[in-house]
Amino acid sequence: MDYRSIFEDAVDALRTEKRYRVFADLERVAGQFPKAIYRDHADNERDITIWCSNDYLGMGQHPKVVSAMQETAGKLGVGSGGTRNISGTSRPLVELERSLADLHRKEAGLVFTSGFVSNEAGISTIARLLPDCVIFSDQLNHASMIQGVRQSGMQKSIFRHNDVAHLRELLAQVDRKRPKLICFESIYSMDGDIAPIKEICDLAEEFGALTYIDEVHAVGMYGARGGGIAEREGLMDRIDVIEGTLAKGFGTMGGYITANKAIIDAVRSYAAEFIFTTSLPPALCAAARASIEHLKGNGHERMMHQRQARLTKAILADAGLPVMDTETHIVPLMVGDARQCKAASDMLLEKHNIYIQPINYPTVPKGTERLRITPTPLHTDEMVFELRHALVSVWTSLELPREPADAKITASKLTSGDLTLPTVGG
């Protein structure tokens, strides 16, 4: 048996479909984000601008966050010492979980090594502990949530994306006495749309279901203190389990769930992904907590983030680029073909020193390939116009379809009081 050729053929298939993933060698420099140093395969260096980072607010280089990590590493070292049960429950980790519980107004929080793990462990463990549970999962839930549903071994029922009427139909088909768990996201990161949280909570109360919301693309960025969309809409108290990440809006690493003490204690006691994994290092916990506490008391980053997202959508739409109108900070630029999407990304990097990773299947359905742009508070207006000119050049070179400016985007985004559409050529 030629095992090696099996793996080579599998990878070659991805190359043929233009779905083979190439990782850019990037070096972010503290104080200069979104600028970075890019190294090609020959180790040649050049400066580029990153337009697709999930460090949505640039908190990964915030002085308070960097200082907290450096100071804690100097005092406590760089390792955690093991699993939480052995010797890995450090004081900064305890304080981080308290900070997260306070952020979401819950009784307790539990930190994991990533957002993927927190979803996988949280959903699967909660569902397994509910006898004869049925899980209702949104059609477009993240892979980590899907994995959690599968791993639970419980009956699942998939409802059409954000379709409350369909969810009601499915709930009505299940015995009201059976435990139920509704799993959904607040912001769906590829299309940038928002779940009907209130309506889902209404159904959960009507049919006696627990609610589990993934706020990974919203924490830090929405709500008066950065608690997410549920906080912004005054609905945190109606959600049973709020899951989030430390790796996006908070700019560090890790994932978590918050809930009442009984749920948190049960997951802590039963989830293998938690029990048998080395805990986060104290320095990382201190950095994450510094970011959370800063954003709780300071809305400047959130305000500037929304401004730059609105400006970017409006400027690109005004240039006739196929921007999907979204309610959030996500700016999808539709291409619709895997090969062209990869070509556009390559051309932006090679000719314009702009890095935007292509988003292809299976992350999005075939035919909806796109460039996913994520403006941050640290992208200047000048950078936005540089992006516009680069994209227009790429679209022209590749003969990608343009479209008339979406009046809905340009008008709504630029009449908000703090934006005015500048006159530009080209």
Side-chain angles (χ1 to χ4, degrees):
M1 177 69 70
D2 185 358
Y3 291 109
R4 183 186 183 92
S5 66
I6 293 174
F7 296 110
E8 289 176 342
D9 290 346
V11 173
D12 286 342
L14 294 178
R15 287 195 176 96
T16 300
E17 297 175 16
K18 298 298 180 184
R19 294 197 292 118
Y20 180 71
R21 297 173 188 264
V22 178
F23 300 144
D25 183 347
L26 303 175
E27 181 179 333
R28 301 204 311 173
V29 182
Q32 297 182 23
F33 182 77
K35 297 290 185 179
I37 299 170
Y38 167 73
R39 291 181 177 85
D40 62 21
H41 295 299
D43 257 0
N44 298 310
E45 297 181 6
R46 55 194 167 91
D47 293 335
I48 64 164
T49 303
I50 300 174
W51 274 98
C52 58
S53 175
N54 280 348
D55 186 357
Y56 292 131
L57 300 177
M59 293 301 294
Q61 61 144 37
H62 193 284
K64 289 182 181 178
V65 179
V66 174
S67 176
M69 176 172 277
Q70 291 173 334
E71 290 178 8
T72 306
K75 292 177 181 177
L76 305 182
V78 297
S80 69
T83 65
R84 295 286 294 273
N85 183 56
I86 294 176
S87 62
T89 300
S90 66
R91 183 63 187 178
L93 179 48
V94 172
E95 293 173 341
L96 173 59
E97 289 177 336
R98 290 175 179 171
S99 182
L100 289 166
D102 172 75
L103 175 67
H104 295 294
R105 305 301 191 193
K106 298 297 182 187
E107 292 178 353
L110 192 66
V111 168
F112 297 82
T113 51
S114 74
F116 194 106
V117 174
S118 58
N119 269 333
E120 181 182 56
I123 293 172
S124 64
T125 305
I126 291 168
R128 280 200 307 269
L129 291 174
L130 295 172
D132 200 24
C133 177
V134 181
I135 304 175
F136 298 85
S137 181
D138 188 284
Q139 181 182 16
L140 294 188
N141 276 344
H142 188 263
S144 59
M145 303 182 78
I146 295 171
Q147 181 62 21
V149 173
R150 287 174 178 163
Q151 192 166 301
S152 73
M154 296 293 107
Q155 179 182 336
K156 66 181 179 183
S157 189
I158 310 300
F159 60 94
R160 290 187 293 271
H161 178 53
N162 282 349
D163 190 333
V164 178
H166 188 221
L167 176 59
R168 168 180 281 280
E169 290 177 15
L170 296 175
L171 285 165
Q173 295 171 10
V174 177
D175 188 331
R176 286 179 178 265
K177 295 181 180 179
R178 288 184 68 179
K180 305 171 188 67
L181 178 65
I182 303 175
C183 300
F184 61 106
E185 301 181 40
S186 62
I187 294 177
Y188 290 84
S189 64
M190 290 300 113
D191 289 348
D193 55 336
I194 295 176
I197 301 175
K198 179 183 181 301
E199 290 78 6
I200 290 175
C201 289
D202 290 343
L203 287 178
E205 292 178 5
E206 180 181 348
F207 289 93
L210 286 177
T211 48
Y212 182 109
I213 190 170
D214 175 317
E215 287 260 34
V216 298
H217 292 279
V219 289
M221 296 168 285
Y222 296 86
R225 301 195 311 153
I229 297 296
E231 182 191 30
R232 187 189 73 177
E233 299 182 6
L235 297 169
M236 284 198 300
D237 61 321
R238 300 185 65 188
I239 302 289
D240 295 294
V241 183
I242 298 177
E243 185 267 350
T245 184
L246 304 171
K248 293 181 172 62
F250 296 128
T252 57
M253 179 183 174
Y256 65 88
I257 60 172
T258 61
N260 63 44
K261 290 181 180 178
I263 291 176
I264 295 299
D265 199 22
V267 174
R268 182 189 70 85
S269 301
Y270 281 90
E273 299 89 342
F274 175 82
I275 296 170
F276 298 106
T277 300
T278 299
S279 64
L280 291 184
L284 188 55
C285 295
R289 182 169 180 265
S291 180
I292 293 164
E293 292 303 317
H294 172 80
L295 290 171
K296 280 180 183 177
N298 190 328
H300 176 72
E301 286 87 358
R302 284 189 287 278
M303 178 187 70
M304 289 303 300
H305 184 221
Q306 292 299 316
R307 181 195 185 276
Q308 296 312 93
R310 290 195 302 271
L311 178 64
T312 303
K313 291 175 191 175
I315 294 301
L316 299 188
D318 185 65
L321 294 162
V323 181
M324 180 187 293
D325 189 21
T326 70
E327 306 172 71
T328 61
H329 59 282
I330 306 295
V331 185
L333 193 60
M334 305 306 293
V335 179
D337 178 87
R339 289 174 175 80
Q340 294 282 62
C341 196
K342 178 67 166 60
S345 174
D346 290 344
M347 191 174 292
L348 283 169
L349 183 58
E350 295 306 320
K351 293 189 175 183
H352 302 280
N353 296 320
I354 286 175
Y355 177 64
I356 306 176
Q357 186 72 352
I359 305 295
N360 294 332
Y361 177 84
T363 306
V364 294
K366 291 181 179 179
T368 68
E369 293 83 1
R370 67 198 66 184
L371 299 178
R372 178 179 175 272
I373 299 167
T374 54
T376 74
L378 301 175
H379 284 94
T380 64
D381 291 4
E382 181 181 3
M383 290 177 183
V384 176
F385 283 102
E386 289 172 354
L387 174 66
R388 172 200 187 273
H389 292 311
L391 286 168
V392 168
S393 175
V394 168
W395 248 245
T396 301
S397 297
L398 296 177
E399 298 182 344
L400 295 172
R402 301 271 290 276
E403 55 190 39
D406 189 332
K408 180 174 63 173
I409 298 179
T410 56
S412 63
K413 308 305 179 197
L414 293 169
T415 56
S416 58
D418 62 339
L419 295 176
T420 301
L421 180 62
T423 302
V424 292

